[in-house]
């Protein structure tokens, strides 16, 4: 079954979350959906028995890091997943420097990791996509090979130029890139990892995306914020 990750980013307030939970109640059956709300609302999703993850974890377990949240604190709220390396974290918080450490900390604490990788527009136009993706995979995996396996690490391929822009790669481009990611993971690391697609997934393009066989699921940002639309979207995913 495909995996669908709903990344709320820094959106929605308390009332919105309550309305959201009321709307989806009893309607997410037989679907593999994981919610990634802002930290204040993680517990609410966990209490209602949804799979829930954090959008980030600190690179340390405890200590003097003002504003960060420890993986152990997040686990107490009920997370079993975390996103690591989202392009917004890489851009605003230099997260590329901490990816390997965060993966180790997450895995040592029994979380499942959704690792985001993706090229920016300039890299895409200069045909550097694969070079960027291989580098990001190497940085994440090399120091953690002894603890990574096919159940605890999921890759989300998110071209940065497709996030929140309503632009997505062509079918053949996505098929080719995701196949190459899988091939690289297999030949270099002997890993068969799931690869999700993320970047402007919505109700208008989900049926077309569903024709691409190599995609193992989706990371959905903006289109996960409206509960009714999100329910329609996940009902179109096999
Ligand atoms: C994301 O946040 O990872 C994302 C893919 O956002 P959007 O679906 O809004 O492009």
């Amino acid at each position: 079954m495909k995996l669908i990750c709903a990344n709320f980013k820094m959106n929605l307030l308390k009332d919105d979350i309550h309305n959201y939970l009321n709307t989806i109640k009893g309607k997410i059956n037989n679907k593999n959906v994981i919610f990634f709300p802002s930290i204040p609302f993680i517990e609410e999703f966990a209490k209602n028995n949804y799979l829930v993850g954090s959008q980030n974890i600190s690179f340390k377990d405890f200590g003097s890091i003002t504003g960060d949240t420890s993986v152990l604190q997040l686990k107490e709220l009920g997370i079993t997943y975390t996103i690591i390396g989202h392009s917004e974290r890489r851009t605003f918080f230099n997260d590329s420097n901490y990816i390997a450490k965060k993966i180790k900390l997450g895995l040592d604490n029994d979380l499942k990791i959704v690792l985001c990788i993706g090229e920016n527009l300039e890299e895409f136009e200069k045909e550097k996509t694969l070079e960027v993706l291989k580098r990001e995979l190497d940085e994440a995996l090399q120091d953690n090979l002894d603890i990574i396996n096919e159940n605890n690490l999921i890759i989300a391929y998110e071209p940065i130029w497709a996030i929140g822009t309503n632009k997505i790669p062509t079918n053949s481009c996505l098929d080719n890139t995701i196949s190459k990611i899988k091939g690289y993971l297999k030949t270099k690391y002997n890993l068969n990892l799931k690869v999700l697609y993320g970047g402007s997934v919505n109700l208008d393009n989900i049926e077309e995306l569903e024709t691409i066989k190599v995609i193992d699921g989706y990371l959905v940002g903006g289109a996960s914020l409206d509960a009714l639309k999100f329910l329609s979207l996940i009902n179109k995913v096999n």
Side-chain angles (χ1 to χ4, degrees), residues 7 9 86 88 116 158 162-165 198-201 219-223:
N7 176 16
K9 314 193 188 200
H86 192 282
E88 287 150 18
C116 298
E158 299 210 297
I163 297 179
T165 57
S200 295
V201 176
L219 179 43
V220 186

Side-chain angles (χ1 to χ4, degrees), residues 24-170:
I24 64 172
K25 196 171 183 174
K27 302 215 172 83
I28 302 194
N29 303 317
N30 304 320
K31 295 281 175 185
N32 214 349
V33 180
I34 305 138
F35 291 96
F36 296 83
S38 300
I39 294 170
F41 309 125
I42 285 175
E43 211 167 4
E44 206 63 44
F45 278 85
K47 272 196 304 207
N48 284 283
N49 294 320
Y50 293 104
L51 284 172
V52 66
S54 59
Q55 298 169 15
N56 177 43
I57 56 173
S58 177
F59 65 98
K60 289 218 174 155
D61 50 1
F62 289 112
S64 305
I65 309 178
T66 304
D68 247 9
T69 310
S70 161
V71 61
L72 292 141
Q73 296 166 328
L74 291 162
K75 275 192 72 172
E76 285 192 329
L77 300 182
I79 64 162
T80 50
Y81 283 78
T82 184
I83 296 174
I84 288 181
H86 192 282
S87 66
E88 287 150 18
R89 299 270 339 158
R90 291 182 191 259
T91 304
F92 296 126
F93 301 98
N94 281 328
D95 259 22
S96 294
N97 299 331
Y98 303 105
I99 303 297
K101 275 188 185 170
K102 289 186 180 194
I103 289 180
K104 175 159 175 44
L105 205 46
L107 294 181
D108 284 349
N109 284 285
D110 300 321
L111 293 185
K112 291 181 196 259
I113 311 284
V114 179
L115 169 69
C116 298
I117 57 172
E119 80 287 357
N120 64 30
L121 187 58
E122 189 186 343
E123 290 159 344
F124 175 73
E125 285 173 348
K126 290 189 174 158
E127 298 184 10
K128 295 232 156 78
T129 299
L130 279 176
E131 193 183 307
V132 172
L133 299 179
K134 286 179 184 176
R135 189 190 66 232
E136 290 185 338
L137 287 171
D138 291 342
E139 283 166 2
L141 299 181
Q142 260 157 9
D143 291 342
N144 290 317
L145 286 174
D146 50 335
I147 48 173
I148 288 172
N149 63 52
E150 289 154 20
N151 292 316
N152 65 18
L153 185 71
I154 299 141
I155 305 299
Y157 169 52
E158 299 210 297
I160 297 170
W161 53 271
I163 297 179
T165 57
N166 234 356
K167 291 183 193 140
I168 62 169
T170 60

Side-chain angles (χ1 to χ4, degrees), residues 8-14 16-17 20 38 41 224-225:
F8 290 0
K9 314 193 188 200
M10 196 173 66
N11 290 302
L12 307 181
L13 294 170
K14 214 192 271 184
D16 306 318
I17 294 292
Y20 198 102
S38 300
F41 309 125
S224 68
L225 293 175

